[in-house]
């Protein structure tokens, strides 16, 4: 039996950081995001013995475990181990149907890209096990299980939005409360989405980043009631609401301008969110006709999202490439997590 899954990576327009503890427990968080046609993929192939092999194309690692083992987190493929441990516990099948398996995983974007690739991979893995073990999981269950594996079991710093975005897919306004998450799918007219997609660029800055240190400082600032950081998060949450309304009403230029405002507030969260290289890329984009833009994810590297004057999009792309950026083609994804049987 061969089962495959894919889960889409996401871009977050506004509200990032308000989904990180302890902010959302105290104030409530909100994020506006969409998924794109870049994916994390997982394949499960059954085998006749009781071994589990994991091959990661991104890390060039092949590891082997036994289905009876309680997997220990030691820095090697811990995300996969956390999924296996959680699936065993949740499904009540410690031996995973009593067969061995080969797992093959890879992603269209590296960890640290700002597109939620690590969380998305966890969602893709849970998806293949849901299908393989016939686990009765809703989208909310899958997202929560992915959150538990990554944020609670492995204590990897981050928020809640990535797991829910990858599972549900499409444009969502996601609200975060102390004990619940509410995903609000947005019914946006196709012509508005086409215009938005047409006017956006995604530019790789040339380096990934480790978000944990940025998030540590943000968490400390919220815990310490640092006024500038808390206010920046408040403003980011309000911008998510305003951008949602602009999209629903077809005010695409307003949406682009608010993307710039969101970036200005995001930079107030931590000085390492931007850098001279990022500032230079954004300045080049703005000087050549960009209306707005922001670094995706926690910041410090990864991908720069740019909203363009449609007459100048190609010029902006050329200028970004000339100063070291790598422009990447992308489109929106509306389907979220998908799994399928690929053979016997």
């Amino acid at each position: 039996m061969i089962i495959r899954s894919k889960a889409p990576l996401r871009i977050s327009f506004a509200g990032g950081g308000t989904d990180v503890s302890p902010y959302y427990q105290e104030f409530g968080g909100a994020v506006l995001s969409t998924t794109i046609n870049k994916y994390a993929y997982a394949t499960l192939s059954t085998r006749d013995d009781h071994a589990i092999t994991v091959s990661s194309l991104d890390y060039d690692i092949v590891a082997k475990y036994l289905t009876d083992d309680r997997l220990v987190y030691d820095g090697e493929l811990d995300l996969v181990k956390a999924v296996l441990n959680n699936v065993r516990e949740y499904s009540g099948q410690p031996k995973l149907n009593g067969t061995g398996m080969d797992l093959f995983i890879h992603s269209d974007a590296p960890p640290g890209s700002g597109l939620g690739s690590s969380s998305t991979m966890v969602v893709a893995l849970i998806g293949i096990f849901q299908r393989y073990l016939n686990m009765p999981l809703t989208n909310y269950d899958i997202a929560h299980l992915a959150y538990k594996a990554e944020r609670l079991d492995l204590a990897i710093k981050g928020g809640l939005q990535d797991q829910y975005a990858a599972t549900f897919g499409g444009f969502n306004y996601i609200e975060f409360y102390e004990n619940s998450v509410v995903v609000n799918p947005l019914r946006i007219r196709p012509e508005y989405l086409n215009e938005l997609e047409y006017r956006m660029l995604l530019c790789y800055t040339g380096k990934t980043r480790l978000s944990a240190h940025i998030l540590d400082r943000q968490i400390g600032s919220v815990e310490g009631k640092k006024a500038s950081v808390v206010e920046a998060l408040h403003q980011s949450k309000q911008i998510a609401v305003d951008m949602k309304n602009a999209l629903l009403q077809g005010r695409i230029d307003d949406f682009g301008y608010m993307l710039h405002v969101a970036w200005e507030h995001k930079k107030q969260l931590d000085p390492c969110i931007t850098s001279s290289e990022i500032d230079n890329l954004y300045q080049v984009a703005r000087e050549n006709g960009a209306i707005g833009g922001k670094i995706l994810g926690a910041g410090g590297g990864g991908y720069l999202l740019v909203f363009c004057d449609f007459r100048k999009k190609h010029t902006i792309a050329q200028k970004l490439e000339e100063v070291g950026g790598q422009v990447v083609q992308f489109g929106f994804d509306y389907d979220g997590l998908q799994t399928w049987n690929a053979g016997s």
Side-chain angles (χ1 to χ4, degrees):
M1 177 186 294
I2 301 174
I3 299 172
R4 297 197 212 282
S5 69
K6 69 174 184 178
L9 304 176
R10 63 99 187 98
I11 53 178
S12 178
F13 298 114
T18 70
D19 62 322
V20 177
S21 176
Y23 180 88
Y24 72 85
Q25 286 101 332
E26 184 169 353
F27 303 106
V31 168
L32 177 67
S33 69
T34 189
T35 47
I36 61 174
N37 61 351
K38 305 294 181 185
Y39 302 93
Y41 299 90
T43 297
L44 183 157
S45 306
T46 55
R47 47 191 290 163
D48 295 332
D49 58 15
H50 295 286
I52 301 173
T53 68
V54 183
S55 301
S56 170
L57 183 62
D58 303 313
Y59 288 106
D60 193 24
I61 293 175
V62 178
K64 188 173 183 178
Y65 315 106
L66 295 175
T67 54
D68 291 339
D69 291 344
R70 172 71 183 180
L71 302 176
V72 177
Y73 307 133
D74 58 6
E76 181 185 79
L77 298 173
D78 282 349
L79 287 173
V80 180
K81 294 175 183 175
V83 170
L84 286 165
N85 286 338
N86 274 275
V87 164
R88 285 168 166 165
E89 180 181 349
Y90 195 96
S91 68
Q93 299 189 49
K95 295 191 176 182
L96 301 174
N97 270 350
T99 62
M101 64 191 66
D102 296 317
L103 297 174
F104 180 75
I105 58 176
H106 65 102
S107 177
D108 286 335
S113 63
L115 300 177
S117 56
S118 297
S119 301
T120 304
M121 179 57 71
V122 175
V123 169
L125 283 165
I126 292 173
I128 57 171
F129 282 108
Q130 177 194 27
R131 193 175 188 96
Y132 178 55
L133 300 174
N134 294 314
M135 298 167 65
L137 298 174
T138 67
N139 280 348
Y140 279 101
D141 293 332
I142 292 170
H144 179 74
L145 199 58
Y147 170 79
K148 178 181 180 298
E150 186 178 11
R151 303 288 184 235
L152 303 183
D153 295 356
L154 297 178
I156 297 173
K157 294 291 177 22
L160 289 87
Q161 67 162 310
D162 296 350
Q163 298 85 357
Y164 288 84
T167 304
F168 283 81
F171 279 77
N172 294 294
Y173 176 71
I174 310 176
E175 300 171 278
F176 308 94
Y177 302 100
E178 183 173 7
N179 296 308
S180 65
V181 176
V182 179
V183 178
N184 303 281
L186 301 181
R187 299 183 64 181
I188 304 167
R189 294 178 63 171
E191 56 262 43
Y192 301 161
L193 296 178
N194 287 335
E195 181 66 12
L196 184 64
E197 185 176 286
Y198 182 70
R199 297 180 63 179
M200 282 190 161
L201 284 176
L202 194 59
C203 178
Y204 185 52
T205 62
K207 67 176 183 177
T208 58
R209 84 288 178 271
L210 183 62
S211 62
H213 300 308
I214 294 174
L215 289 170
D216 274 335
R217 290 191 291 270
Q218 177 188 310
I219 291 167
S221 295
V222 174
E223 290 175 339
K225 309 295 185 189
K226 186 175 180 179
S228 61
V229 171
V230 173
E231 180 59 26
L233 288 168
H234 289 342
Q235 292 297 323
S236 181
K237 182 170 60 175
Q238 182 58 50
I239 292 170
V241 176
D242 296 339
M243 293 181 79
K244 168 180 69 76
N245 292 335
L247 262 186
L248 292 171
Q249 296 164 10
R251 294 185 285 110
I252 306 302
D253 279 331
D254 289 348
F255 181 94
Y257 172 74
M258 284 186 277
L259 197 64
H260 171 73
V261 176
W263 174 231
E264 292 300 313
H265 286 296
K266 183 182 179 76
K267 288 189 290 185
Q268 302 305 310
L269 299 178
D270 187 89
C272 292
I273 281 175
T274 191
S275 66
S276 58
E277 293 86 357
I278 293 170
D279 288 341
N280 183 55
L281 284 170
Y282 190 53
Q283 181 178 352
V284 167
R286 293 273 287 174
E287 288 174 351
N288 287 279
I291 295 172
K294 65 187 287 286
I295 279 290
L296 299 174
Y303 284 86
L304 175 70
L305 181 69
V306 180
F307 182 88
C308 307
D309 179 324
F310 75 93
R311 292 160 294 203
K312 301 176 181 178
K313 179 178 177 180
H314 297 293
T315 299
I316 295 168
Q318 178 184 339
K319 295 297 184 181
L320 288 173
E321 294 267 358
E322 288 176 359
V323 295
Q326 302 170 35
V327 174
V328 176
Q329 297 298 316
F330 79 99
F332 298 139
D333 169 276
Y334 303 102
D335 296 317
L337 172 65
Q338 299 180 64
T339 66
W340 65 96
N341 291 323
S344 56

